[in-house]
C-alpha cells in the first residue's frame, strides 16, 4: 500500500461542503464514489479542511491509501473521467505513510470575492457576494491590519467549531478593489469554523460604519461573537492554497 496526496479543485455550489454527511451530497462522498469506480474497492479520503456548503476551492488537498501498482497518469485520467465536471483532480503524488493532509498543513490562504455593483450578473452570482452600496476599502483594510498576528479568534468563529484551541496566527490579511470587484485575501496557520466569513462580514459592517475599525481588539478580549459582524454568505469564499 502507498499513500497518495490528491490536489483537487471544485465548484462547491452543488455540494453540502467537503465532509461526508447523511443529509446531503458532499465533495468527499463524490470523490470516494469516483475512487471506487477506478480502484474497485472502497477508499476513504482525508481532507485538509472542512469547507462549508457552497464554498469553493481552487486548491484542496486530501490523502488516501491504495495499491502501489497504479501509474500516475492513468490514475489521474481515470479519476477525472468519472468525477462530475465541477470537481477536478489537478495532481497526485506519493507521500510518506505518516503524512496527513490536515495535520501536516502549515497554513492556508482563503480569498473572498465581493461584487460591489447594482448590476446583476447571473454568471457571477454563484461565486460572489453582491453588495450594491459602495464599500470603503480604507476602513476595511484598517480592520484587516488589526487582526494580523497571533490572537484568540474564538469571537470570530461560530458555535459549530470542533476544536478547543482557538488561537491562530494570521500572517496576511488585506482587501483590494479592481473596478466593481473587491477581494479580501487572508493567510493563517489555521482557521476556525466560519472564521473567514465572519471576518469578511465584520469588514463590511466596518465599511458601513456600524462597527468601529478597531473592534477586533474587543472581540479578542471578550471572546464574544456578538461583538463581531455578520457571517458573510458562503458562495464568495474560495480556498486558494494549502501550504505543506
Amino acid at each position: 500500500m502507498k499513500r497518495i496526496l490528491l490536489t483537487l479543485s471544485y465548484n462547491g455550489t452543488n455540494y453540502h461542503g467537503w465532509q461526508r454527511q447523511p443529509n446531503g451530497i458532499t465533495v468527499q462522498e463524490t470523490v470516494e464514489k469516483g475512487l471506487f469506480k477506478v480502484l474497485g474497492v472502497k477508499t476513504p479520503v482525508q481532507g485538509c479542511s472542512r469547507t462549508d456548503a457552497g464554498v469553493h476551492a481552487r486548491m484542496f488537498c486530501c490523502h488516501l491509501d491504495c495499491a502501489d501498482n497504479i501509474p500516475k497518469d492513468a490514475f489521474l485520467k481515470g479519476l477525472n473521467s468519472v468525477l462530475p465536471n465541477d470537481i477536478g483532480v489537478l495532481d497526485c503524488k506519493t507521500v510518506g505513510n505518516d503524512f496527513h493532509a490536515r495535520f501536516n498543513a502549515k497554513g492556508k490562504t482563503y480569498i473572498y470575492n465581493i461584487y460591489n455593483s447594482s448590476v446583476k450578473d447571473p454568471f457571477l452570482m454563484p461565486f460572489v457576494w453582491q453588495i450594491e452600496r459602495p464599500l470603503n476599502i480604507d476602513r476595511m483594510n484598517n480592520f484587516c491590519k488589526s487582526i494580523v498576528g497571533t490572537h484568540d479568534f474564538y469571537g470570530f468563529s461560530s458555535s459549530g467549531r470542533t476544536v478547543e484551541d482557538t488561537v491562530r496566527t494570521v500572517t496576511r490579511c488585506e482587501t483590494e478593489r479592481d473596478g466593481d470587484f473587491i477581494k479580501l485575501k487572508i493567510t493563517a496557520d489555521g482557521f476556525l469554523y466560519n472564521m473567514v466569513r465572519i471576518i469578511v462580514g465584520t469588514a463590511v459592517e466596518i465599511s458601513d460604519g456600524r462597527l468601529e475599525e478597531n473592534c477586533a481588539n474587543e472581540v479578542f478580549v471578550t471572546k464574544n461573537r456578538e461583538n463581531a459582524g455578520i457571517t458573510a454568505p458562503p458562495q464568495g469564499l474560495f480556498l486558494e492554497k494549502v501550504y505543506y
Side-chain angles (χ1 to χ4, degrees), residues 48-219:
C48 62
S49 64
R50 296 168 56 183
T51 55
D52 297 337
V55 173
H56 317 287
R58 298 190 189 278
M59 176 185 181
F60 187 97
C61 297
C62 59
H63 75 262
L64 61 108
D65 295 322
C66 67
D68 59 4
N69 58 351
I70 304 173
K72 173 182 175 179
D73 291 344
F75 180 73
L76 277 175
K77 184 176 181 179
L79 186 53
N80 273 317
S81 71
V82 299
L83 288 174
N85 289 334
D86 51 11
I87 301 176
V89 186
L90 306 179
D91 191 25
C92 70
K93 65 179 181 180
T94 303
V95 292
N97 288 334
D98 60 347
F99 177 89
H100 196 286
R102 176 184 174 189
F103 299 127
N104 283 96
K106 302 298 183 184
K108 302 180 184 75
T109 293
Y110 280 90
I111 288 178
Y112 194 96
N113 295 306
I114 297 173
Y115 178 46
N116 196 199
S117 172
S118 60
V119 178
K120 185 175 182 179
D121 187 333
F123 297 102
L124 289 176
M125 292 304 100
F127 308 108
V128 297
W129 179 14
Q130 182 178 10
I131 299 177
E132 296 187 11
R133 61 192 180 277
L135 295 179
N136 187 316
I137 294 297
D138 291 336
R139 287 179 61 85
M140 295 173 73
N141 265 325
N142 286 338
F143 162 71
C144 287
K145 292 175 185 176
S146 73
I147 68 170
V148 173
T150 302
H151 306 285
D152 189 337
F153 283 88
Y154 184 97
F156 285 104
S157 64
S158 295
S159 58
R161 75 187 77 80
T162 57
V163 296
E164 294 184 5
D165 181 9
T166 53
V167 174
R168 297 291 184 271
T169 299
V170 173
T171 55
R172 178 184 182 184
C173 186
E174 60 186 12
T175 307
E176 59 183 29
R177 177 187 285 276
D178 182 8
D180 292 332
F181 296 93
I182 295 173
K183 180 182 295 185
L184 188 149
K185 187 172 186 178
I186 182 169
T187 301
D189 59 356
F191 293 88
L192 304 174
Y193 182 56
N194 280 343
M195 177 174 156
V196 179
R197 291 169 59 190
I198 293 171
I199 286 171
V200 172
T202 303
V204 169
E205 291 205 46
I206 287 170
S207 168
D208 292 340
R210 291 195 292 269
L211 291 173
E212 297 296 327
E213 294 177 25
N214 61 354
C215 71
N217 294 328
E218 184 177 5
V219 179

